[in-house]
């Protein structure tokens, strides 16, 4: 699994970890049942705080992307599970809301926005 | 936020620690815990009381009030066991200048029951320290590494470092952070690390304890510290009363201002009303605050003097 931390992106480090792990799970690179690196090992390798990794893993568990098993580690969940579905749905909606807000700010009509959406939808799965 | 910290015993527990100096400076009622297995950065401007606090932990100065426990043991009543379990690095070498590195080991080894000659030797090799060199012949960075080698060679459970990186170049600082992260990797050993070079802490520190003017301003997870503030920026004419009202500290310059605001107060600022992240339509912008921003703006002349524990 590839995990890269940027210190200039402005995005919090725990978000960067979450997004990259979530993306790896969604694109199938991380399979259901696979173990994530241990908290302390990942923190040491990325030279980041143990608490930052803990937070990323805990929030991914809340999203249903992974599962923490006490004393064993953190494991990837099945993609189809309901919790993850709901999370992704609300994420899609939130992103749409933001797109609408941006569009309204510069008076892009709904029809144009729909065209843009359709174009994006036809594209290959975003990396 | 996390359950991991709740289960660990405390590496360091400080309750109401107070020290008055005749000069008028008081380290006032400092209380915080450092759970085992983590790195805590102790930050604050010069003269805030960081070194005083470290001296209290090491029982080098008389404590006027409060309690300090290291690994659950009273730092005065159980001083010998506590010292056995503490590794210490100061900002300048505490060894006799004419000692050779070899003599440093001979002098330090008998002080510790658990002195590990092989470990010390390993660190000397790793750090490129020559046993025949005298302390005074070593560069500042090398002297720090020698203290670190001693601190790491007697199975200490808590490392206390007072400004270890001041005067070190980026390579030596990086190496130190690497060593500290390895040191805590087993989850049982911990580090308290005072510094004013906050770049060292931005990534690796788990907890931050921030003291200023002798008082505790914040203690808790580093992410929480950074997220509890935002930096609001605007032009010179945008400094409205609502911004002034909630700002913890303001820095004005000719073409604009930076105001440090608690994250929960952002909603009270009308100039941001187009919403965070969509601020191209609002006169003010709000962005994350770095540790340096927070220290800088909580110590301006505009900074609210009444400070409370966040």
């Amino acid at each position: 699994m590839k995990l890269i931390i940027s210190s200039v992106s402005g995005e919090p480090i725990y978000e960067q970890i979450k997004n990259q792990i979530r993306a790896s799970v969604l694109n199938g690179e991380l399979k259901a049942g696979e173990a994530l690196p241990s908290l302390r090992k990942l923190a040491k390798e990325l030279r980041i705080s143990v608490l930052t990794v803990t937070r990323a893993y805990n929030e991914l568990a809340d999203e249903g992307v992974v599962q923490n098993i006490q004393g064993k580690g953190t494991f990837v969940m099945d993609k189809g599970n309901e919790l993850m579905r709901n999370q992704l749905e609300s994420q899609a909606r939130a992103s749409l809301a933001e797109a609408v807000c941006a569009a309204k700010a510069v008076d892009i009509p709904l029809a144009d926005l729909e065209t843009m959406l359709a174009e994006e939808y036809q594209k290959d799965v975003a990396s | 936020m996390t359950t991991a910290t709740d289960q660990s015993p405390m590496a360091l527990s400080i309750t109401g620690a107070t020290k008055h100096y005749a000069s008028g400076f008081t380290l006032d009622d400092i209380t915080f815990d450092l759970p085992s297995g983590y790195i805590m950065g102790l930050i604050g401007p010069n003269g805030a009381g960081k070194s005083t606090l470290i001296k209290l932990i090491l029982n080098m100065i008389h404590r006027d009030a409060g309690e300090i426990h290291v690994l659950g043991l009273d730092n005065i009543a159980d001083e010998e066991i506590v010292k056995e379990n503490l590794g210490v690095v100061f900002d300048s070498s505490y060894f006799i200048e004419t000692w050779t590195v070899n003599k440093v080991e001979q002098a330090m080894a008998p002080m510790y029951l658990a002195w590990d000659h092989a470990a010390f030797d390993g660190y000397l090799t790793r750090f490129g320290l020559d046993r025949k060199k005298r302390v005074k012949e070593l560069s500042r960075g090398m002297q720090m590494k020698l203290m670190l080698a001693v601190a790491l060679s007697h199975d200490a459970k808590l490392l206390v470092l007072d400004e270890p990186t001041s005067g070190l170049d980026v390579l030596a600082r990086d190496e130190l952070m690497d060593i500290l992260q390895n040191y805590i990797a087993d989850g049982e050993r911990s580090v308290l690390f005072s510094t004013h070079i906050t770049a060292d802490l931005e990534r690796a520190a788990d907890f931050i304890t921030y003291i200023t003017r002798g008082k505790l301003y914040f203690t808790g997870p580093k992410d929480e510290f950074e997220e509890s503030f935002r930096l609001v920026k605007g032009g010179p004419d945008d400094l409205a009363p609502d911004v002034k009202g909630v700002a913890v500290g303001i820095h004005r310059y000719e073409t604009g201002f930076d105001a440090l605001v608690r994250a929960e107060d952002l909603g009270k600022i009308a100039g941001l009303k187009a919403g965070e992240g969509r601020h191209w339509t609002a006169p003010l912008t709000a962005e994350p605050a770095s540790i340096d921003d927070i220290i800088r703006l909580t110590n301006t002349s505009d900074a609210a003097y009444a400070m409370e524990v966040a």
Side-chain angles (χ1 to χ4, degrees):
Chain A
M1 179 183 53
K2 178 170 133 184
L3 252 177
I4 293 169
I5 302 299
S6 159
S7 34
V8 291
S9 73
E11 187 183 21
I13 293 174
Y14 73 93
E15 286 285 359
Q16 296 183 35
I17 296 174
K18 273 171 67 183
N19 291 340
Q20 290 177 61
I21 291 177
R22 193 193 301 106
S24 295
V25 172
L26 292 178
N27 70 22
E29 198 192 321
L30 278 174
K31 307 255 179 318
E34 249 184 271
L36 295 184
S38 88
L39 287 175
R40 289 183 174 273
K41 181 159 177 261
L42 189 64
K44 202 172 84 182
E45 306 229 310
L46 295 176
R47 304 183 146 201
I48 56 177
S49 148
V50 178
L51 284 187
T52 302
V53 183
T54 307
R55 177 173 185 178
Y57 280 18
N58 283 348
E59 292 190 8
L60 284 170
D62 286 345
E63 288 182 16
V65 177
V66 300
Q67 189 183 14
N68 289 319
I69 300 178
Q70 191 76 37
K72 295 218 162 143
T74 307
F75 300 89
V76 176
M77 296 274 279
D78 196 338
K79 262 197 268 190
N81 78 75
E82 200 181 339
L83 189 56
M84 197 158 152
R85 229 196 134 69
N86 291 342
Q87 283 289 340
L88 288 171
E89 243 177 64
S90 56
Q91 197 187 322
R93 183 160 282 275
S95 301
L96 285 174
E98 206 172 317
V100 165
C101 185
K104 282 182 173 166
V106 288
D107 297 322
I108 296 173
L110 178 60
D112 288 8
L113 196 61
E114 280 172 350
T115 314
M116 286 158 80
L117 176 62
E119 279 169 14
E120 287 299 322
Y121 200 87
Q122 305 304 335
K123 278 191 193 165
D124 288 337
V125 181
S127 53
Chain B
M1 179 186 71
T2 158
T3 52
T5 55
D6 302 337
Q7 299 152 350
S8 338
M10 291 304 162
L12 177 65
S13 181
I14 297 185
T15 315
T18 300
K19 171 75 186 172
H20 306 285
Y21 281 105
S23 65
F25 177 78
T26 297
L27 183 71
D28 192 10
D29 195 19
I30 304 293
T31 297
F32 66 86
D33 288 328
L34 167 58
S36 293
Y38 296 95
I39 297 175
M40 175 182 279
L42 177 62
I43 59 169
N46 292 334
K50 304 189 293 290
S51 292
T52 300
L53 182 61
I54 285 178
K55 285 180 189 145
L56 285 177
I57 295 169
L58 302 175
N59 196 27
M60 291 163 68
I61 51 174
H62 175 75
R63 184 171 73 213
D64 294 322
E67 282 190 37
I68 298 178
H69 287 90
V70 175
L71 306 163
L73 300 165
D74 187 285
N75 79 321
I76 297 175
D78 297 310
E79 184 165 3
E80 276 195 33
I81 317 174
V82 165
K83 289 277 168 73
E84 180 74 29
N85 283 295
L86 274 177
V88 184
V89 174
F90 292 105
D91 63 341
S92 57
S93 162
Y94 59 88
F95 305 120
I96 310 277
E97 291 225 306
T98 51
W99 282 357
T100 58
V101 171
N102 203 44
K103 173 70 188 164
V104 168
E105 182 178 18
Q106 286 170 13
M108 299 307 290
M111 295 187 190
Y112 298 105
L113 295 169
W115 184 261
D116 185 341
H117 172 74
F120 185 71
D121 216 45
Y123 284 113
L124 292 189
T125 309
R126 175 171 178 182
F127 298 157
L129 280 160
D130 181 349
R131 282 188 174 270
K132 293 191 284 288
K133 276 253 169 101
R134 291 184 192 280
V135 171
K136 64 180 174 192
E137 295 168 330
L138 300 173
S139 69
R140 196 180 166 80
M142 283 305 211
Q143 290 186 358
M144 188 278 286
K145 286 177 184 172
L146 180 57
M147 283 188 281
L148 192 61
V150 171
L152 292 169
S153 296
H154 57 86
D155 197 29
K157 297 289 184 293
L158 173 65
L159 279 192
V160 175
L161 302 95
D162 191 7
E163 301 282 357
T165 55
S166 62
L168 296 193
D169 66 19
V170 65
L171 290 178
R173 279 167 40 209
D174 198 54
E175 190 180 5
L176 174 67
M177 293 318 291
D178 209 32
I179 290 165
L180 297 185
Q181 286 203 294
N182 270 305
Y183 177 76
I184 63 148
D186 69 357
E188 285 168 16
R189 301 191 281 188
S190 327
V191 175
L192 178 72
F193 178 174
S194 92
T195 183
H196 53 250
I197 304 174
T198 53
D200 296 333
L201 302 172
E202 297 274 358
R203 286 183 76 154
D206 298 298
F207 294 92
I208 290 286
T209 292
Y210 171 29
I211 52 180
T212 179
R213 300 181 183 108
K215 291 191 192 311
L216 182 73
Y217 193 89
F218 176 90
T219 184
K222 180 195 60 191
D223 291 352
E224 226 168 84
F225 181 58
E226 290 174 309
E227 283 167 20
S228 57
F229 294 100
R230 288 288 185 284
L231 201 54
V232 173
K233 297 184 172 185
D237 303 328
D238 301 327
L239 189 53
D242 59 354
V243 181
K244 281 189 192 165
V246 296
V248 180
I250 300 172
H251 167 67
R252 295 165 223 245
Y253 48 97
E254 202 175 327
T255 57
F257 71 90
D258 301 339
L260 190 72
V261 172
R262 290 191 185 277
E264 69 259 25
D265 290 333
L266 274 186
K268 298 175 189 161
I269 298 178
L272 289 166
K273 274 294 183 272
E276 219 189 334
R278 280 163 226 144
H279 40 61
W280 57 80
T281 55
L284 299 178
T285 65
E287 57 186 56
S290 69
I291 296 176
D292 278 343
D293 291 329
I294 300 170
I295 296 179
R296 179 169 64 93
L297 286 160
T298 47
N299 286 285
T300 60
S301 47
D302 278 329
Y305 211 84
M307 296 198 171
E308 45 194 335
V309 179

